Amino acid sequence: MTSNPIDVHRGLDELRAACATVHLPEDPGYEGARHPWQLTVQQWPAAVAQPRTADEVAAVVRAAARAGLSVAPQSTGHNAGPLEGLEDAVLLRTSSLREVTIDPERRRARVGSGVLWGDVGVAVAPAGLVALHGSSPDVGVAGFSLGGGIGWLARRFGMQCNSLLAVELVLPDGELARVDADSDPELFWALRGGGGNFGVVTALEFALYPVTSVYGGALVWDWREASRVFARWTQWTSEAPDEASTSCRILQLPSIEAVPPPLRGRQVAMIDGAVLAADEAAEKILAPLRELGPEIDTFGRMTAAGLGRLHGDPEGPTPAVASAAMLGSLPEAGVDAFVEAAGADSGSSLAVAELRQLGGACGRPHPGAGALPMLHGEFAMYACALAAEPEALRIGQQHADRLEAAMSPWACGHYLNFAERPVDAALGFGAEAYQRLQQIRRRVDPDGRMLANHRVPAAA
């Protein structure tokens, strides 16, 4: 799409009529409205619209087209780094679409595209149900679900994208649609894993699962124990049942009240996660890890609702830099390379250096799946540095990149929800699936009006 500043002003009256809250760069509210959750990312769109209803979303999309502008949907902006080229776009914030409806008998939820996972957890818990949420309560449901979605139940039930039952969206031509396996199976396939390339999602319907409690928690060691902890954990993951979903991390924790006193200001190695089994069976599954003698062991019976904050991810807008990759099996040399790049003697400033356990239901094609039927890696690597100062962030990015480079011999593509910088979106899919996504993009958005964070261009 091409445009110029006069197009924005020419379409201003129509944008204002379409949506009660529209900010242009000269407006007082623009500065606050343009920022994503990821505060190190600078977004400078031609306008920011904050619609309150699906009809307003549709009106904004139509008004943007008449003004010669693209549309970039965004809920929270956790993965805003790859979203580029907003100077000729309306940044359409869906954060006001916050309706949550639960159908306990049919075990399904319908939520607006501005809903956060924390909202869903509160709503479904009284019914004895759980959603396939991620590791943070303030991540948006929409972006997480459209791009895959792995959490503490993923190895048992698969990715959240394949639990979607219907998607309501405004198509690039401004029409409202409800898409499911019967109404438009091709587009429904693309929406389940293909990201935000096909329209502005206004609501999602997805399956819920009858889980009320899990055996969950964390095992903690000083970070100088990281080599033996990671070596045992990677060996353990090769035989762990689908009922266990865990991560293994090196953490450098700040000395702030939000961090529990036993961990405050410390550098640790940690295994955390959940086991969907009775206590005795779960204890047997975790026994090889407990043999390493953790100094802190919080694993025990907990409510499924408590899983949302188990990982301790930061909540609220945060300045951070990150690198990520998907990895195959990790031999002893891979563990050594990981610890050498992020462990006690590395000089690393990373707040988090993590391996997320994949496999299980994530590693098998999901029946009737969408564009992302499975993840081919054994681990998802994620490295993150948190800092308020530009120089500290620059150094943190160097250390995150160093860890990614150290893992490159075992890299096998990308899980795009973890890729917080521009990457070739084709690396998130197989060749056939990517070509199919491009064909569907050509059908629904031939003019390329939608700007997703990981863009799939229309087929030529």
Side-chain angles (χ1 to χ4, degrees):
M1 298 297 295
T2 59
S3 182
N4 58 63
I6 195 170
D7 291 322
V8 180
H9 291 282
R10 186 178 298 152
L12 175 59
D13 290 341
E14 190 168 352
L15 280 169
R16 298 281 194 202
C19 180
T21 306
V22 174
H23 303 288
L24 294 185
E26 62 268 25
D27 294 338
Y30 177 86
E31 180 63 22
R34 72 177 181 85
H35 288 291
W37 185 95
Q38 172 52 278
L39 291 177
T40 57
V41 176
Q42 295 299 313
Q43 300 183 144
W44 300 101
V48 183
Q50 297 172 295
R52 298 163 298 180
T53 66
D55 286 335
E56 279 195 355
V57 172
V60 168
V61 171
R62 292 191 293 267
R66 284 189 281 269
L69 298 172
S70 301
V71 174
Q74 188 175 84
S75 174
T76 63
H78 274 73
N79 195 326
L83 184 60
E84 300 179 308
L86 297 183
E87 62 275 3
D88 292 325
V90 176
L91 181 65
L92 197 157
R93 306 300 296 267
T94 63
S95 52
S96 296
L97 304 177
R98 298 292 290 269
E99 180 185 358
V100 178
T101 304
I102 306 301
D103 185 339
E105 291 186 2
R106 299 170 68 198
R107 294 179 184 169
R108 64 194 296 165
R110 178 188 178 276
V111 308
S113 59
V115 170
L116 307 181
W117 277 119
D119 303 326
V120 178
V122 170
V124 304
L129 299 169
V130 69
L132 301 187
H133 58 75
S135 57
S136 173
D138 77 339
V139 166
V141 173
F144 177 91
S145 300
L146 297 174
I150 56 174
W152 299 125
L153 306 176
R155 283 176 39 82
R156 172 62 179 83
F157 297 112
M159 287 180 283
Q160 160 68 2
C161 64
N162 292 314
S163 282
L164 291 177
L165 302 170
V167 179
E168 297 172 29
L169 75 164
V170 175
L171 296 168
D173 63 4
E175 293 299 314
L176 282 161
R178 182 182 183 277
V179 177
D180 60 20
D182 296 321
S183 64
D184 190 337
E186 276 292 283
L187 181 54
F188 187 53
W189 175 88
L191 290 165
R192 289 175 295 151
N197 288 279
F198 308 96
V200 183
V201 172
T202 58
L204 300 159
E205 295 180 27
F206 51 86
L208 303 172
Y209 297 88
V211 177
T212 57
S213 70
V214 301
Y215 194 85
L219 306 173
V220 182
W221 299 258
D222 183 83
W223 71 335
R224 293 198 173 275
E225 301 293 320
S227 290
R228 71 188 189 102
V229 171
F230 274 77
R232 175 66 62 86
W233 178 78
T234 52
Q235 181 184 32
W236 172 86
T237 59
S238 66
E239 300 178 355
D242 294 0
E243 286 72 21
S245 293
T246 62
S247 78
C248 192
R249 300 183 285 170
I250 295 173
L251 300 174
Q252 299 195 65
L253 298 156
S255 184
I256 58 175
E257 288 189 9
V259 177
L263 301 176
R264 195 172 295 165
R266 293 191 59 193
Q267 293 83 24
V268 300
M270 177 185 293
I271 297 170
D272 61 347
V275 183
L276 281 170
D279 290 5
E280 184 176 354
E283 289 169 359
K284 184 176 181 179
I285 290 169
L286 293 172
L289 303 176
R290 281 175 158 157
E291 287 175 357
L292 297 178
E295 62 176 83
I296 299 173
D297 182 348
T298 67
F299 268 96
R301 184 59 44 184
M302 62 180 290
T303 65
L307 285 173
R309 288 187 165 86
L310 177 65
H311 211 46
D313 289 351
E315 298 178 37
T318 301
V321 291
S323 289
M326 195 153 58
L327 309 177
S329 60
L330 210 57
E332 182 179 348
V335 171
D336 291 344
F338 188 96
V339 175
E340 183 178 348
D345 298 317
S346 66
S348 168
S349 62
L350 296 175
V352 180
E354 175 175 353
L355 295 178
R356 188 76 63 95
Q357 181 185 7
L358 300 178
C362 287
R364 298 187 294 268
H366 193 283
L372 199 62
M374 60 181 288
L375 295 174
H376 291 278
E378 295 295 323
F379 306 101
M381 187 278 290
Y382 181 75
C384 176
L386 309 175
E389 299 299 323
E391 179 61 14
L393 287 169
R394 185 187 67 81
I395 294 171
Q397 187 67 72
Q398 289 180 348
H399 292 160
D401 292 346
R402 181 178 68 185
L403 180 57
E404 182 181 357
M407 294 293 98
S408 62
W410 302 278
C412 57
H414 275 286
Y415 168 56
L416 296 179
N417 271 2
F418 277 7
E420 297 187 7
R421 290 185 296 175
V423 299
D424 181 358
L427 296 174
F429 308 95
E432 183 178 345
Y434 189 68
Q435 292 170 6
R436 187 177 173 187
L437 287 169
Q438 289 183 295
Q439 294 289 345
I440 297 168
R441 177 75 189 272
R442 184 173 69 176
R443 172 168 73 88
V444 301
D445 189 17
D447 297 324
R449 294 195 179 279
M450 291 295 115
L451 300 183
N453 59 341
H454 291 292
R455 297 181 196 176
V456 175

